[in-house]
Amino acid sequence: MSTNQITSATGTYPATETYQKTSDSKATETKTKSAAEAADTSAAVYEKNSSGKAARNSSKNKNYVTLSKENQNIVAQLKADAQQRSDQLRSLVESMITKQSHTFNISQLTDSKMYELLRTGKLNVSPEIRAQAQKDIAEDGYWGVEQTSERLFSFAKAISNGDTSKAETLIKAMEKGFKLATKSWGDKLPSICQKTLESATEKIRNWAKETSSSGDMTDAAQDAFQNQAANSALAK
């Protein structure tokens, strides 16, 4: 399956006006607003839960890192946006399946199955969706290298609470996220993903040239960034 075919199917879902129902849009807007409001009311504190994933907790000790309100809002906004885009992708795939197959059970559409359908080109992509995809991954597009790497960079700064001394830790977490995305995708990611990783890495290292501040970055904060990087890679 060519890169164009992949991006034609997966790069389109940011076009909310075209592919998302009004009711879904309102629900997403409410969810995004709620996330931002929650982030603004109390300090975000990241730790590891029993499953090893990032979690928020109101307790404070040496195992936690507390984000400023500004950084809380940035993290909440970027995570909510990533979730919205993921939901839109699933909605788009479900719509294409419904139109092209009367035998597939939508309730059985796992993430791995969805990526397999997209990767192998088993879903026909309309000319309209293909055109939108090309626009989205263009140099100035939402899923283009510049905008995507800038979002990853913004998340990195926020989740580390602006600590430039954690630059290499952030880069390692991001690289791990892209590796997880490759595993979820089931094959080598399109070249645009590698270019995005390289661009985000460059932005973080340039930022690290600024004066570093002291402080620990917890494993959970690294996990949160890693997951964000994986979602960004898969969205392409």
Side-chain angles (χ1 to χ4, degrees), residues 166-177 222 225-226:
K166 305 306 176 188
E168 292 305 316
T169 299
L170 290 163
I171 290 172
K172 289 179 180 178
M174 182 169 60
E175 290 174 341
K176 187 174 181 180
Q222 296 175 50
F225 183 48
Q226 171 189 303

Side-chain angles (χ1 to χ4, degrees), residues 133-147 192:
Q134 294 302 321
K135 179 179 178 181
D136 291 336
I137 64 171
E139 185 175 350
D140 59 346
Y142 182 90
W143 289 115
V145 172
E146 177 57 30
Q147 288 195 43
I192 189 175

Side-chain angles (χ1 to χ4, degrees), residues 4 7-19 85 92 125-138 141-143:
N4 287 339
T7 53
S8 295
T10 61
T12 56
Y13 61 93
T16 308
E17 297 81 4
T18 305
Y19 303 111
R85 305 290 169 170
L92 176 61
V125 180
S126 70
E128 293 77 14
I129 291 178
R130 187 182 300 276
Q132 181 64 49
Q134 294 302 321
K135 179 179 178 181
D136 291 336
I137 64 171
Y142 182 90
W143 289 115

Side-chain angles (χ1 to χ4, degrees), residues 46-48 52-55 65 67 74-76 78-79 82 147-161 163 166-181 196-205 207 217-234:
Y46 287 89
E47 63 162 341
K48 267 194 173 182
K53 296 181 179 180
V65 58
L67 305 184
I74 292 172
V75 169
L78 289 171
K79 290 177 70 175
Q147 288 195 43
T148 305
S149 63
E150 186 62 31
R151 287 193 297 275
L152 285 170
F153 174 46
S154 296
F155 197 98
K157 289 192 296 182
I159 202 68
S160 66
N161 221 29
D163 185 355
K166 305 306 176 188
E168 292 305 316
T169 299
L170 290 163
I171 290 172
K172 289 179 180 178
M174 182 169 60
E175 290 174 341
K176 187 174 181 180
F178 272 68
K179 288 180 180 178
L180 289 175
T196 298
L197 176 59
E198 292 171 356
S199 178
T201 298
E202 181 180 8
K203 291 177 188 293
I204 293 173
R205 284 189 171 142
W207 168 64
M217 183 178 178
T218 65
D219 289 344
Q222 296 175 50
D223 288 348
F225 183 48
Q226 171 189 303
N227 292 338
Q228 188 75 9
N231 289 336
S232 295
L234 285 171

Side-chain angles (χ1 to χ4, degrees), residues 78-94:
L78 289 171
K79 290 177 70 175
D81 181 69
Q83 184 61 53
Q84 176 187 349
R85 305 290 169 170
S86 178
D87 291 344
Q88 288 174 353
L89 171 59
R90 175 170 287 275
S91 178
L92 176 61
V93 172
E94 289 179 353

Side-chain angles (χ1 to χ4, degrees), residues 102-117:
H102 299 290
T103 60
F104 189 87
N105 187 345
I106 294 297
S107 65
Q108 298 178 353
L109 184 63
T110 61
D111 285 349
S112 59
K113 184 62 177 179
M114 178 173 65
Y115 296 136
E116 178 189 345
L117 291 172

